[in-house]
Amino acid sequence: MAKPDAETPLLRNQLPGYTSIVAGHLAKAPGVAYLELARPHRHNSFHQELWEEFPRALRELDADESTRVIVLAAQGKNFCAGIDVAYLQRNFLTLLTPPPPPAAAAGGGSTAAAPGPAPAPACPGSQRAAMRRGILALQAAYSQLEGCRVPVLAAVQGRCIGGGVDLITACDLRLCSSGASFCVKEVDLAITADLGTLQRLPHLVGHGVAMDLALTARTVGAEEARRIGLVSTVVPDNNNGGSGGGGGSGSSSSNGRGAVVAAAVALAASIAAKPALAVQGTKRVLLHSRDHPPVSAGLDYVATWNSGQLLSADLGAVMAAGAGVRARL
């Protein structure tokens, strides 16, 4: 099981069975769940296990009725370097390797297949179909962030590159340390970014800025990221480290991580204190409005949503409190 490190906030429970993720609920922030990428030695790049564990951990946290907000963070110096190069190489080789010739039967029996990944289909069309299925599966892992009923806040320190940008653009809010930087790197790697950046980034920073970042692959610092709308808050670095209290083993390289996580937790706690159904409905309606641009359709959708969930115990309490205020006036 992955271990918290010195800057991981104190958890009251850690979800078992994860080798590349530390996840659970924060001990000192009711309603706030926490998910931390735990591959600092590989700059939290996504490999096979992390691709499988990430959406599963999100679903597990989101399914807990006590969860009001999720904070996404990462161990080590850098937030996320995207997809692990070894993982990419292995998968490309699998797709490009032709199938072995049929084994000759000996004595009427058959020769067992060698262990390892399944060979690529012989048909080029089938190869491309297999690649498409693989891309869709990776997209679904990140889209799980939007699929969560509760808001997800990203706390970014250090470098956030390639697939890391895909990851944070699928979150609902983004904070970063003053030393953080961002790069839509794929074009330099002869790849068209395909995990969500090109679809989500224009809604955050505008079409022209997104085109600039994606075509130039230039690095954007924290203040520019705030100015263009990629992040909402820049948190001054606190390089003292060791403020989290997680108690895990291993060295700590703060680079502003402790400060930005603390700020994200504070923001998450303030959102968690608000009426849950209203928060969840706000997230869902805003995402629907983004993906269904006509205003008329957005108005119809929110009318349908509120007709189903507006009448709640939370609303009753607010109305009662409001009646008391009016009586005092």
Side-chain angles (χ1 to χ4, degrees), residues 10-325:
L10 183 64
L11 302 176
R12 63 175 171 82
N13 64 322
Q14 183 178 347
L15 302 184
Y18 292 92
T19 63
S20 301
I21 281 174
V22 172
H25 288 82
L26 296 180
K28 298 181 179 180
V32 179
Y34 183 79
L35 192 160
E36 184 174 81
L37 308 180
R39 296 190 76 220
H41 59 293
R42 298 290 295 174
H43 306 290
N44 299 303
S45 57
F46 274 66
H47 65 334
Q48 183 67 43
E49 289 77 12
L50 193 46
W51 281 118
E52 295 170 356
E53 292 183 357
F54 182 75
R56 177 159 57 92
L58 281 173
R59 287 191 295 268
E60 190 170 353
L61 292 173
D62 191 49
D64 190 318
E65 285 299 322
S66 70
T67 300
R68 298 289 190 94
V69 185
I70 299 172
V71 172
L72 172 63
Q75 293 183 5
K77 181 179 179 180
N78 296 310
F79 178 78
C80 181
I83 303 178
D84 190 287
V85 174
Y87 172 83
L88 276 178
Q89 290 173 333
R90 183 172 66 254
N91 279 269
F92 273 117
L93 285 175
T94 299
L95 285 168
L96 297 175
T97 301
S110 61
T111 304
C123 168
S126 296
Q127 287 181 327
R128 292 177 176 86
M131 178 176 286
R132 183 175 185 275
R133 289 194 300 272
I135 293 171
L136 289 173
L138 301 187
Q139 290 176 350
Y142 283 1
S143 293
Q144 185 64 43
L145 290 158
E146 291 180 341
C148 288
R149 63 188 172 87
V150 303
V152 183
L153 281 57
V156 179
Q157 84 281 359
R159 304 197 69 186
C160 180
I161 305 170
V165 177
D166 289 300
L167 181 64
I168 66 167
T169 55
C171 294
D172 300 296
L173 289 171
R174 290 151 295 279
L175 300 82
C176 74
S177 68
S178 57
S181 64
F182 307 83
C183 179
V184 183
K185 188 67 174 172
E186 283 84 351
V187 72
D188 281 347
L189 305 176
I191 300 172
T192 298
D194 57 5
L195 299 184
T197 289
L198 300 185
Q199 290 70 37
R200 297 180 174 110
L201 186 62
H203 291 281
L204 300 175
V205 304
H207 176 84
V209 175
M211 188 72 78
D212 169 34
L213 299 182
L215 290 180
T216 65
R218 66 183 181 86
T219 296
V220 172
E223 284 302 328
E224 183 178 0
R226 183 191 58 78
R227 189 169 66 251
I228 64 178
L230 179 55
V231 302
S232 59
T233 303
V234 175
V235 181
D237 289 358
N238 175 6
N239 292 315
N240 294 328
S243 59
S249 61
S251 61
S252 171
S253 179
S254 177
N255 200 27
R257 173 184 159 203
V260 73
V261 168
V265 169
L267 178 58
S270 71
I271 296 172
K274 300 181 184 300
L277 290 179
V279 169
Q280 294 165 24
T282 297
K283 168 176 176 169
R284 191 53 46 206
V285 170
L286 279 172
L287 288 175
H288 183 274
S289 298
R290 182 200 67 184
D291 294 340
H292 302 81
V295 171
S296 59
L299 292 173
D300 183 76
Y301 183 79
V302 72
T304 303
W305 181 278
N306 271 354
S307 67
Q309 298 210 23
L310 185 63
L311 299 178
S312 66
D314 288 326
L315 180 63
V318 171
M319 291 297 183
V325 170

